[in-house]
C-alpha cells in the first residue's frame, strides 16, 4: 500500500465495509444532489460479523482518542435514533470488553423520535443524562442537522456533550449558496460543528483513508472517480 498505511483496525474495518456491501462504489445521488462515486450506509452492518467489525472499530477509535488526549472522559455513550442506537449499544459493549478497568461501568442511552407519554415517559431510553458527560456515536455527518438536534436533546436533559465519533468523515465541503459551480472554498459540516460547539469530533475513517485503503480492494476506475470527487468537493477544513 503506497503512502501512509492505515492502522490495522482501520484497514480491517474498511475491508469489512467493502466486503459486506456497506461501502459501495458506483453512482449515488446525495441529499445535496451531488453525484457521489461511493456510498456508506451504517444501517447495513446488521450481520453479526459486520456488527462486531464496526463496534470494534468504534471502540478502538475512542480508546485511541482518549490515549492521545483528543477526547476527554465521558460517562455515557449516546446513540441518536435510529442508526445510532445499535452503534452506541454495541460500542459500549466492545469498550467494556477491550478495557474493562476503564469502561466496565460505562453506560449507554438513546433518544426516541417522539416522546413517550405513558410508562416511564420521556425522550431518553437508558442511562439518565443529567450531570453526565456524553459521547455521541453516529454513522456520518452530512449537513450536521441531526448532530445539532442530538446535542440540543442532551443539553435539555442536563448532560454535557464530551464529543462526537462517527464512522466516516466524507471531508466534503458544504454546498455554496451560489451553487457548487462557484468553486469557492467552503468548510465541511464536521469542521463547522467543531467551531460551533468547541468539542472534539473525530471519525474512524476519512475519505483520504478510503482512497488509500481502496488499493487492492476496488477497481482502478472506482479509485480514479473517488479521487476526482475528492478534488472537486474537498472542504477547507
Amino acid at each position: 500500500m503506497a503512502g501512509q498505511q492505515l492502522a490495522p483496525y482501520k484497514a480491517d474495518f474498511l475491508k469489512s465495509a467493502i466486503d459486506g456491501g456497506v461501502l459501495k462504489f458506483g453512482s449515488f445521488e446525495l441529499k445535496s444532489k451531488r453525484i457521489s462515486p461511493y456510498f456508506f450506509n451504517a444501517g447495513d452492518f446488521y450481520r453479526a460479523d459486520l456488527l462486531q467489525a464496526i463496534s470494534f472499530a468504534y471502540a478502538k477509535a475512542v480508546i485511541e482518542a482518549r490515549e492521545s488526549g483528543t477526547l476527554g472522559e465521558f460517562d455515557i455513550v449516546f446513540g441518536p435514533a435510529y442508526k445510532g442506537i445499535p452503534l452506541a449499544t454495541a460500542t459500549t459493549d466492545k469498550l467494556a470488553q477491550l478495557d474493562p478497568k476503564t469502561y466496565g461501568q460505562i453506560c449507554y442511552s438513546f433518544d426516541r423520535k417522539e416522546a413517550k407519554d405513558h410508562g416511564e415517559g420521556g425522550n431518553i431510553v437508558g442511562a439518565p443524562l443529567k450531570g453526565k458527560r456524553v459521547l455521541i456515536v453516529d454513522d456520518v455527518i452530512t449537513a450536521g442537522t441531526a448532530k445539532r438536534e442530538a446535542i440540543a436533546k442532551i443539553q435539555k436533559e442536563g448532560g454535557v456533550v464530551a464529543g462526537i465519533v462517527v464512522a466516516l468523515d466524507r471531508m466534503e465541503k458544504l454546498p455554496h449558496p451560489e451553487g457548487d459551480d462557484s468553486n469557492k472554498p467552503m468548510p465541511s459540516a464536521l469542521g463547522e460543528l467543531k467551531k460551533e460547539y468547541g468539542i472534539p469530533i473525530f471519525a474512524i475513517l476519512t475519505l483520504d483513508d478510503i482512497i488509500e485503503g481502496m488499493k487492492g480492494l476496488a477497481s482502478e476506475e472506482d479509485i480514479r472517480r473517488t479521487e476526482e470527487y475528492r478534488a472537486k468537493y474537498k472542504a477547507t477544513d
Side-chain angles (χ1 to χ4, degrees):
M1 191 181 293
Q4 185 175 358
Q5 290 190 345
L6 298 183
Y9 82 90
K10 293 189 177 189
D12 290 344
F13 173 60
L14 178 59
K15 186 175 187 304
S16 294
I18 293 175
D19 290 347
V22 178
L23 176 60
K24 302 178 178 71
F25 301 102
S27 182
F28 308 92
E29 184 174 330
L30 308 178
K31 287 182 180 179
S32 63
K33 302 303 180 182
R34 293 171 183 166
I35 304 301
S36 173
Y38 73 99
F39 188 73
F40 181 91
N41 182 11
D44 286 338
F45 276 98
Y46 49 72
R47 204 172 67 206
D49 59 332
L50 296 176
L51 182 62
Q52 288 180 328
I54 195 170
S55 62
F56 180 80
Y58 270 109
K60 284 289 289 183
V62 169
I63 290 170
E64 281 198 353
R66 286 290 309 280
E67 290 176 346
S68 69
T70 301
L71 176 67
E73 294 183 1
F74 60 93
D75 310 296
I76 295 172
V77 179
F78 181 87
Y82 291 103
K83 288 182 181 178
I85 296 174
L87 298 178
T89 53
T91 299
T92 302
D93 178 67
K94 193 63 68 175
L95 282 167
Q97 288 182 30
L98 294 178
D99 188 350
K101 183 178 179 180
T102 303
Y103 301 107
Q105 298 295 314
I106 208 76
C107 299
Y108 72 85
S109 293
F110 57 88
D111 64 327
R112 294 186 174 96
K113 287 290 187 180
E114 297 179 1
K116 188 176 180 182
D117 59 4
H118 62 280
E120 76 278 15
N123 284 298
I124 305 299
V125 181
L129 304 179
K130 186 174 182 179
K132 300 298 183 180
R133 297 161 296 189
V134 183
L135 175 66
I136 298 173
V137 173
D138 211 353
D139 55 350
V140 298
I141 294 177
T142 306
T145 305
K147 306 304 176 288
R148 289 183 175 87
E149 291 175 353
I151 291 170
K153 285 185 177 181
I154 292 167
Q155 293 175 337
K156 184 177 179 180
E157 294 291 327
V160 177
V161 178
I164 301 174
V165 55
V166 295
L168 173 64
D169 175 9
R170 291 182 63 94
M171 303 174 69
E172 193 167 318
K173 65 181 180 181
L174 291 166
H176 194 277
E178 298 175 10
D180 282 334
D181 292 337
S182 67
N183 290 323
K184 293 181 180 178
M186 290 289 289
S188 67
L190 189 150
E192 286 294 274
L193 283 174
K194 280 184 178 180
K195 293 176 184 177
E196 186 174 345
Y197 293 99
I199 57 175
I201 304 176
F202 55 99
I204 300 170
L205 293 174
T206 66
L207 178 55
D208 287 345
D209 292 333
I210 287 177
I211 290 173
E212 180 62 33
M214 285 170 69
K215 299 167 184 175
L217 298 176
S219 70
E220 291 297 322
E221 176 64 14
D222 286 334
I223 294 172
R224 181 188 64 77
R225 292 176 67 242
T226 306
E227 288 177 332
E228 289 176 351
Y229 187 84
R230 175 179 62 180
K232 185 174 182 180
Y233 292 117
K234 189 169 183 178
T236 53
D237 60 17

